[in-house]
Amino acid sequence: SYSGDNINYLKIFSFDHTTNSLTEIQTLNKGSTAFSEVFDGIHFNYSGESFIIQRNNSAASDSFTEYTLNNGTYQVSSTWNGTGNRGHIKISHQGNTAIVSNNADAAGLYVLKKNGTSWSQQGQTLNDNISEFGLGWSFDISSDGNTIAYTEEKMIGTGSTRSWESNVKVLEYNGSVWEQKGSVLSFKERIKDIKLDNLGTILLVGTYLEPET
C-alpha cells in the first residue's frame, strides 16, 4: 500500500496451491529500516527465504535492504547504500548475488556478491560502450550469479521519425573479471526486456514496436 511515491506498509503472504488460498505471514510498516525512504521495488530469491527491498536513498535508487526468513518472520539481514540515480536491481535465485544499474543512462552496471551480512562488488563496472550507447533498462542474472545479460540502446532522431539501435551482451564471471560470451546481439528496435534461464544458457529478448506500443 502506498501514497504518492511513499510506501505505507508491505504485507507478505504465503500461497497454498492445494487450497488456492493466501495466508498473511507478516506486515512491515513504514518507519522500519526498509521504508524510511522512497520505495522502488521488491525482489525475492527463488526459495522465498529472502528478498531485497529497493530503496531510493536521497535519489540513490540502487540502495536496498535485505530481509531473510528467521523463525517464521522476515528480519533485516543486510543493507547496501548505493550512490546512483534511477537505478534498477535484480537478485539471483540463490539470493547471494545482485546486479545493479548505477544511473541508468551513464555510469553502468555492477554486480554485488554477498559475504555474511555485507555486499561487495564482484569484478569490474560494466560501462565499456557508454559513450556511444546508453545503458538500457533491462538486465538479468543466472541462478548462481555467474552469468549476466544486459542491454544498451541509442535513439536516432526525434519524434515520429525516431528510430532505435540496441545491443544485448552476455557475460560470464571467470573468478576475477566479467568476460563476454559469444558475439554482441544487435537489433534495430528498442528492447523492452530480456530474460536468462536459471543456467544462463538461454536468452529471451523482447522488443518494442515503433512507436512504443
Side-chain angles (χ1 to χ4, degrees):
S1 172
Y2 65 92
S3 57
D5 287 332
N6 296 304
I7 192 167
N8 295 319
Y9 60 84
L10 172 69
K11 287 185 177 292
I12 304 170
F13 296 84
S14 64
F15 179 71
D16 188 324
H17 290 271
T18 304
T19 61
N20 289 328
S21 61
L22 289 170
T23 302
E24 184 177 337
I25 299 175
Q26 187 177 355
T27 298
L28 299 175
N29 292 305
K30 184 178 179 181
S32 62
T33 301
F35 306 126
S36 58
E37 299 158 294
V38 176
F39 162 83
D40 278 347
I42 305 171
H43 311 271
F44 267 94
N45 75 342
Y46 183 74
S47 67
E49 293 181 353
S50 68
F51 63 90
I52 58 176
I53 295 176
Q54 186 175 346
R55 297 178 288 118
N56 192 321
N57 181 7
S58 300
S61 54
D62 58 345
S63 302
F64 60 81
T65 298
E66 180 190 33
Y67 276 75
T68 301
L69 193 61
N70 186 8
N71 294 324
T73 61
Y74 287 94
Q75 301 175 19
V76 174
S77 54
S78 68
T79 59
W80 170 263
N81 292 317
T83 59
N85 185 22
R86 292 200 297 154
H88 292 271
I89 298 172
K90 283 190 177 179
I91 190 170
S92 67
H93 282 179
Q94 294 182 10
N96 59 356
T97 311
I99 182 171
V100 178
S101 65
N102 182 345
N103 191 320
D105 292 326
L109 291 174
Y110 56 90
V111 178
L112 301 174
K113 194 76 171 180
K114 186 181 178 184
N115 183 13
T117 60
S118 63
W119 297 80
S120 59
Q121 185 170 341
Q122 177 175 267
Q124 74 275 27
T125 300
L126 304 173
N127 58 4
D128 58 300
N129 207 24
I130 294 299
S131 60
E132 181 180 0
F133 282 81
L135 190 65
W137 289 101
S138 185
F139 49 85
D140 206 3
I141 186 168
S142 63
S143 179
D144 63 5
N146 289 325
T147 304
I148 61 175
Y150 69 94
T151 62
E152 301 171 332
E153 62 182 32
K154 69 176 177 180
M155 184 174 66
I156 302 170
T158 59
S160 61
T161 62
R162 70 179 178 180
S163 61
W164 292 87
E165 292 183 6
S166 304
N167 295 329
V168 179
K169 293 182 178 179
V170 180
L171 295 93
E172 190 172 59
Y173 190 62
N174 68 4
S176 58
V177 297
W178 292 96
E179 293 183 330
Q180 185 173 312
K181 292 182 64 178
S183 58
V184 176
L185 302 175
S186 298
F187 298 84
K188 294 297 184 179
E189 301 93 2
R190 190 179 192 187
I191 294 172
K192 169 66 175 177
D193 202 5
I194 59 174
K195 296 293 182 183
L196 277 174
D197 72 333
N198 286 346
L199 298 177
T201 58
I202 299 174
L203 176 69
L204 179 66
V205 180
T207 65
Y208 286 102
L209 296 174
E210 280 295 333
E212 295 168 14
T213 59

